[in-house]
Amino acid sequence: MITITSIAITAAEIELVTKALAAGHLVQGKLVEELETTVASYLGVDHAVAVNSGTAALHTALHAAGIKPGDEVITTPFSFVATANAILMCGATPVFADIDDKSFTIDPQSAESLITTKTKAILAVDLYGNPVDYEALKKICTAHHVPLIADSCQALGATYKSQKVGSLADVSVFSLYASKNIFSGEGGLITTNSTGIADRARLFRNHGQMYGKPYEYHGLGYNYRLTDVLAAIAIPQLAEINRLTGDRQNNARYLSAGLEDTQGIVTPPIESGIEHCFHQYTVKITEDFPLTRDELQAHLLSKDIESRVYYPRLLSTIPHVIAHSRPTPTPCADTIVNQVLSLPVHQHLSTADLDAIIAAVQSSATHG
Ligand SMILES: *Cc1c(COP(=O)(O)O)cnc(C)c1O
């Protein structure tokens, strides 16, 4: 089976985890700090704050950016549920903008059209590892005096006009979940150049206490701390991030070269100056393709190739989200949600695997 994700733990990770265990330090300590300084220097940002999931990182980032009950946060309906849940966790209201037809990420014009006096942030998602239109979004956020928050959970390793994703928004969030390009199993990071945001994030993850100053509380906090053992899994991967990202990008280029002339298949956008890190390689299946998306998925499975739909429903259709959001039309997202299919692109695929994926899609098109 050619699987959609493939997790390999290397000797370097086992060695560092063993060291962490041997040190007997099971909570947040020196290795968490090393993870933070490694990520901050890789991205070129002043602060990285590690927490125990991407969802915790989103909640922390929104809190640190000042999001409060009653505020509105403009976001995309086409993402993982945690994007909307983090807004709800702050007691705020998600307002869903439409998405761009090519990148599947938030449409800046649509986002701007939804801004009201209640809007307190735009939360954009670098979906599949593809950077959002940072230039347009930053311009809008500056004009309306609201922070840009990036859910970059899928985009560690991506680059936008020679700046790393994670260094472009007022505050950015990464996930180190097991299936992400760089992982610790569970884990997350907040990155920012704002000392105020970083300070508030450090308090929020530790019950409102400053590290080393217990029982002095600076407001409500959670236990969002990461452990040294988990940090030890991610640190060695960061030394290899350029190679890991490059392998995925090469696989994506190979797939696109093989698929771009297939009628009814639209391959992911490649824009100059923008480096997608291909957490997912997602094609759009239009009505010109002879099979439905479900039929193509079944055909691929019959050839031992796994594929997935990220995501099969919009966040704006989930009951608990509807109950707390303001309804908005999103015609483009309504269409795209029924057209996307993610194919394997991870760094452990061989050329034979990639050829098999291309051949399976093409054979379904001709024999459909
Ligand atoms: C993975 C992911 C999250 C949540 O991260 P966890 O580490 O699983 O909590 C949030 N948003 C997006 C877009 C993600 O892909």
Side-chain angles (χ1 to χ4, degrees):
M1 177 75 98
I2 302 176
T3 56
I4 191 104
T5 48
S6 162
I7 292 163
I9 306 282
T10 68
E13 284 135 49
I14 292 169
E15 192 182 320
L16 197 56
V17 169
T18 307
K19 243 191 213 168
L21 289 170
H25 196 88
L26 295 179
V27 297
Q28 179 185 304
K30 285 206 168 62
L31 288 172
V32 169
E33 206 178 303
E34 184 180 336
L35 174 69
E36 293 174 339
T37 52
T38 306
V39 167
S41 85
Y42 166 72
L43 299 176
V45 295
D46 292 341
H47 309 279
V49 180
V51 293
N52 53 24
S53 74
T55 307
L58 278 169
H59 185 198
T60 303
L62 288 163
H63 166 83
I67 304 305
K68 294 193 170 51
D71 293 347
E72 290 186 356
V73 176
I74 296 170
T75 191
T76 170
F78 197 43
S79 181
F80 182 58
V81 68
T83 306
N85 281 348
I87 297 170
L88 299 178
M89 286 155 85
C90 291
T93 301
V95 178
F96 296 104
D98 207 354
I99 60 174
D100 176 77
D101 173 48
K102 289 191 182 62
S103 66
F104 313 154
T105 57
I106 193 165
D107 173 351
Q109 271 67 52
S110 171
E112 186 169 31
S113 75
L114 296 171
I115 293 178
T116 69
T117 53
K118 286 186 161 180
T119 305
K120 292 292 153 28
I122 294 179
L123 173 56
V125 180
D126 300 309
L127 192 72
Y128 308 138
N130 190 25
V132 293
D133 188 347
Y134 279 99
E135 224 162 65
L137 288 167
K138 281 165 78 163
K139 212 175 271 173
I140 291 164
C141 284
T142 304
H144 295 272
H145 308 289
V146 295
L148 176 61
I149 304 174
D151 177 343
S152 303
C153 280
Q154 304 181 353
L156 188 51
T159 306
Y160 178 90
K161 302 191 178 174
S162 62
Q163 272 185 280
K164 296 271 180 248
V165 162
S167 69
L168 291 135
D170 293 289
V171 51
S172 303
V173 168
F174 296 105
S175 166
L176 299 173
Y177 180 65
S179 66
K180 299 299 199 303
N181 293 18
I182 302 291
F183 58 86
S184 60
E186 298 281 6
L189 290 151
I190 297 111
T191 63
T192 182
N193 285 320
S194 158
T195 305
I197 287 176
D199 287 347
R200 287 191 289 280
R202 288 196 178 97
L203 290 171
F204 199 63
R205 75 169 165 190
N206 188 32
H207 306 286
Q209 305 166 106
M210 240 129 83
Y211 196 67
K213 287 200 177 174
Y215 310 113
E216 235 180 72
Y217 303 103
H218 301 261
L220 177 70
Y222 288 71
N223 177 357
Y224 279 166
R225 296 179 306 251
L226 186 67
T227 67
D228 267 20
V229 175
L230 291 183
I233 299 175
I235 290 167
Q237 295 168 46
L238 285 163
E240 302 292 322
I241 188 166
N242 291 336
R243 182 180 58 78
L244 296 172
T245 307
D247 286 352
R248 284 174 178 268
Q249 290 169 334
N250 288 338
N251 289 348
R253 264 192 290 273
Y254 195 95
L255 288 170
S256 288
L259 292 173
E260 69 192 349
D261 294 329
T262 309
Q263 178 101 353
I265 297 280
V266 181
T267 56
I270 296 177
E271 271 184 72
S272 77
I274 297 173
E275 280 199 52
H276 193 317
C277 70
F278 289 101
H279 173 58
Q280 298 296 343
Y281 178 90
T282 304
V283 296
K284 186 161 88 171
I285 296 146
T286 71
E287 56 272 27
D288 296 333
F289 196 73
L291 302 188
T292 66
R293 179 174 64 183
D294 285 358
E295 288 166 348
L296 174 58
Q297 251 197 312
H299 176 80
L300 292 172
L301 203 57
S302 76
K303 305 271 178 199
D304 266 348
I305 298 163
E306 191 184 18
S307 62
R308 291 268 177 89
V309 176
Y310 297 108
Y311 293 90
R313 67 190 293 186
L314 298 178
L315 302 180
S316 48
T317 68
I318 302 172
H320 82 272
V321 178
I322 295 173
H324 297 282
S325 67
R326 171 155 75 79
T328 47
T330 57
C332 187
D334 294 345
T335 307
I336 301 282
V337 72
N338 295 313
Q339 295 183 317
V340 291
L341 188 66
S342 298
L343 304 173
V345 73
H346 59 77
Q347 65 268 26
H348 305 117
L349 296 171
S350 63
T351 306
D353 293 334
L354 295 166
D355 286 334
I357 296 165
I358 294 164
V361 174
Q362 284 173 343
S363 68
S364 75
T366 44
H367 304 298

